[in-house]
Amino acid sequence: MDNLQTAVDTLVHGSNTLFLLCGAVMVLAMHAGFAFLEVGTVRQKNQVNALSKILSDFAVSTLAYFFVGYWLAYGVTFLAPASQLAADHGYGLVKFFFLLTFAAAIPAIISGGIAERARFVPQLCATLMIVAFIYPFFEGLAWNGNLGLQAWLHSRFGAPFHDFAGSVVVHAMGGWIALVAVLLLGARRGRYRDGRVVAMAPSNIPFLALGSWILIVGWFGFNVMSAQTLQGASGLVAVNSLMAMVGGTIAALLIGRNDPGFLHNGPLAGLVAVCAGSDLMHPLGALITGAVAGALFVGCFIAAQGKWKIDDVLGVWPLHGVCGAWGGLACGLFGQTWLGGLGGVSLASQALGTALGIGVALFGGAVVYGGLRRVVGIRLTPEQEFEGADLALHRIGAVNPE
């Protein structure tokens, strides 16, 4: 009997480790999506820089999260013998890998907003501080119950702040930090002339579309595998993700008037918004959540670029910041049983948790990017920006004739 129980335990632990590892690899692959989405959107003279930023940011994020961030969020350190780390088939190590890919998404999100005029090394320094301190602080509050926040929300409003896969913890955090960075950097030179927007068209629509599709596919690992165990996996999460993606696509297609940039960001807006409540909503609620997110993205992108003169190159604040915040609220709404959800969620807790996430992001972004701007500077020189970051920083262009 003991042998049978041991065999069952081994199978369970091994299956959970493999399940979460598959999720980690799928989300890791999403970073290629971030890269190609940015490469396709920026001008050709900045494509190499976009690719270099995403990979370098991931490497720095890994070190920051391994040595500091994961410990700050969960109280876990890896300064132990390998025999201890390998316990339960190394599930604890794979959990770190999975959550690292979430943490590293923050600088990948920011990268798209500050493209074409941000200095390379200062941005790596910003990545180090954000992934080591700013992001893990809120991650620990939301996902590990640090400082008693979740317990207080539960006692006060009947339910804790619920963010199943990171609408607020990951996406809103990244989007609102990016907004601070974009405002401190200022617009690209020549973007606005006589109070009007000067068009800077995407350099490569096929690359932009490829990036979107890679992100869409990887997102099912992002959402479904957030259960973190095989027995916790749910088809409801998968179908809700699908419906939100479709809702965002249709809304962006209609409101964006067939613009391919809006079209290929619409599904991402829907997926950002559904992360928080994908395990609670009815599929129709997820469809509405995604459609609202798609509309929010298009409307806020147009207003930010034209009316408010915010030169957010990829629209990461509307896409991740605004739609992520909407996702936190939508979870509290469409997660309710009277709207077909599974319940166990409070709209008040969702509103407070979302507001806190935005507040931490704005404060952290101001400290990090404001400090770097004062100490070392964060923007390319006018000459470097005119030449393009590829030649100015990396000494090679994306397309080089023989």
Side-chain angles (χ1 to χ4, degrees), residues 62-149:
T62 301
L63 296 178
Y65 201 61
F66 183 85
F67 288 106
V68 181
Y70 196 69
W71 169 80
L72 183 62
Y74 300 102
V76 175
T77 177
F78 298 104
L79 302 179
S83 58
Q84 294 181 24
L85 300 178
D88 296 333
H89 295 267
Y91 179 82
L93 292 174
V94 173
K95 181 178 179 181
F96 156 77
F97 183 10
F98 181 69
L99 292 174
L100 160 68
T101 59
F102 282 51
I106 301 291
I109 290 168
I110 296 168
S111 176
I114 64 176
E116 302 202 345
R117 76 274 203 201
R119 292 179 62 196
F120 190 71
V121 174
Q123 173 54 25
L124 293 181
C125 294
T127 293
L128 180 68
M129 291 184 280
I130 290 167
V131 178
F133 301 107
I134 307 302
Y135 169 74
F137 173 74
F138 186 68
E139 179 189 18
L141 294 180
W143 285 346
N144 198 47
N146 292 356
L147 303 182
L149 173 68

Side-chain angles (χ1 to χ4, degrees), residues 80-314:
S83 58
Q84 294 181 24
L85 300 178
D88 296 333
H89 295 267
Y91 179 82
L93 292 174
V94 173
K95 181 178 179 181
F96 156 77
F97 183 10
F98 181 69
L99 292 174
L100 160 68
T101 59
F102 282 51
I106 301 291
I109 290 168
I110 296 168
S111 176
I114 64 176
E116 302 202 345
R117 76 274 203 201
R119 292 179 62 196
F120 190 71
V121 174
Q123 173 54 25
L124 293 181
C125 294
T127 293
L128 180 68
M129 291 184 280
I130 290 167
V131 178
F133 301 107
I134 307 302
Y135 169 74
F137 173 74
F138 186 68
E139 179 189 18
L141 294 180
W143 285 346
N144 198 47
N146 292 356
L147 303 182
L149 173 68
Q150 293 287 38
W152 179 80
L153 289 173
H154 189 278
S155 64
R156 182 68 177 81
F157 301 108
F161 172 63
H162 185 89
D163 191 355
F164 180 70
S167 286
V168 178
V169 175
V170 178
H171 296 286
M173 282 285 290
W176 288 90
I177 292 174
L179 176 63
V180 175
V182 167
L183 292 175
L184 289 174
L185 273 169
R188 287 169 290 176
R189 299 182 189 281
R191 178 60 167 161
Y192 300 103
R193 189 175 301 155
D194 299 326
R196 302 181 66 179
V197 180
V198 176
M200 293 181 175
S203 60
N204 194 309
I205 295 298
F207 276 170
L208 187 158
L210 175 63
S212 175
W213 273 108
I214 293 172
L215 287 167
I216 289 169
V217 173
W219 224 295
F220 287 87
F222 198 100
N223 284 1
V224 175
M225 271 83 165
S226 284
Q228 298 189 20
T229 60
L230 188 60
Q231 55 267 41
S234 171
L236 180 65
V237 177
V239 172
N240 280 345
S241 301
L242 175 68
M243 296 302 284
M245 183 269 285
V246 169
T249 302
I250 297 300
L253 174 65
L254 296 176
I255 299 173
R257 301 181 179 181
N258 303 327
D259 182 284
F262 288 142
L263 172 62
H264 286 92
N265 277 281
L268 308 183
L271 286 163
V272 164
V274 82
C275 285
S278 57
D279 62 327
L280 298 178
M281 296 179 181
H282 186 279
L284 290 178
L287 178 65
I288 296 170
T289 296
V292 171
L296 280 173
F297 168 71
V298 175
C300 289
F301 182 91
I302 292 173
Q305 296 286 337
K307 183 177 180 181
W308 302 325
K309 304 295 188 294
I310 300 174
D311 189 17
D312 178 352
V313 180
L314 268 68

